[in-house]
Amino acid sequence: VSDACVVGYYCQAGTAPQACPAGTYNPSTGRKALADCVSCPAGKYCGTTGLSAPSGLCNPGHYCPIGASSANQVPCPAGFYVSDSGSESDVACAYCPPGDYCPTAGTSTPTTCTRGSYCVAGSITPQACPRGSFLNVTGALESLDCLPCSAGRYCAATGLTAPTGLCDAGYYCKGSAVTAAPIDGSTGALCPSG
């Protein structure tokens, strides 16, 4: 009959078996000290005590350094993401790509930038197209993707998906107008008399 200490535990002389702590495991029998417990390898986690093998891979959106005790040990920060399981360090966290945003820590799948806005690389939130412009498609990469408000129309607010409306009677709008009655000369003005 073997009295060797079981896997997942260590047995110091004269004491009851002690479970290897979370963040470690022990694949061998007969271990005698806490130091015999093996740190969970990077990319994996050891979520409970007394394990004979790692619990599994680190979750997408997170990475697990050596000795991790949770599948969500360290989240990639907002503005970054990682879609793969088993990431080992922050090097795996990639900038959110242009046209998408990554709003929270632990993002595994970037969110497509919304209509009326654009998202540069590393975006946490979409940036609204400026007044005088609009955009009716998703996934815009930069402010230059926002379209100038059409001639004869005005775009009064930020983040528009269509022009606000037609310019007022008696005024003309050249484009990029922010009011229904432009008077600046560059985006429109009063119609000439006659």
Side-chain angles (χ1 to χ4, degrees):
V1 174
S2 171
D3 61 355
C5 199
V6 297
V7 295
Y9 289 76
Y10 62 96
C11 301
Q12 294 177 324
T15 65
Q18 300 291 312
C20 287
T24 68
Y25 70 103
N26 178 10
S28 305
T29 59
R31 298 302 178 180
K32 301 191 181 309
L34 176 60
D36 292 328
C37 298
V38 180
S39 290
C40 212
K44 297 183 178 182
Y45 73 100
C46 297
T48 62
T49 62
L51 293 175
S52 61
S55 302
L57 294 174
C58 191
N59 284 336
H62 301 78
Y63 61 93
C64 294
I66 293 171
S69 59
S70 167
N72 300 327
Q73 189 73 28
V74 183
C76 290
F80 292 80
Y81 78 105
V82 62
S83 57
D84 297 329
S85 298
S87 296
E88 299 179 358
S89 73
D90 62 350
V91 172
C93 299
Y95 268 118
C96 206
D100 292 320
Y101 66 103
C102 299
T104 61
T107 296
S108 60
T109 303
T111 302
T112 301
C113 202
T114 54
R115 297 181 312 143
S117 61
Y118 61 94
C119 297
V120 297
S123 289
I124 295 171
T125 59
Q127 301 299 307
C129 287
R131 292 175 67 211
S133 69
F134 71 101
L135 186 63
N136 194 23
V137 297
T138 59
L141 311 177
E142 59 183 345
S143 63
L144 295 175
D145 292 334
C146 300
L147 302 172
C149 206
S150 313
R153 300 181 179 272
Y154 71 102
C155 297
T158 62
L160 293 176
T161 59
T164 305
L166 295 172
C167 288
D168 286 348
Y171 293 86
Y172 68 92
C173 297
K174 295 179 182 179
S176 299
V178 297
T179 178
I183 55 170
D184 62 8
S186 65
T187 63
L190 278 167
C191 290
S193 59

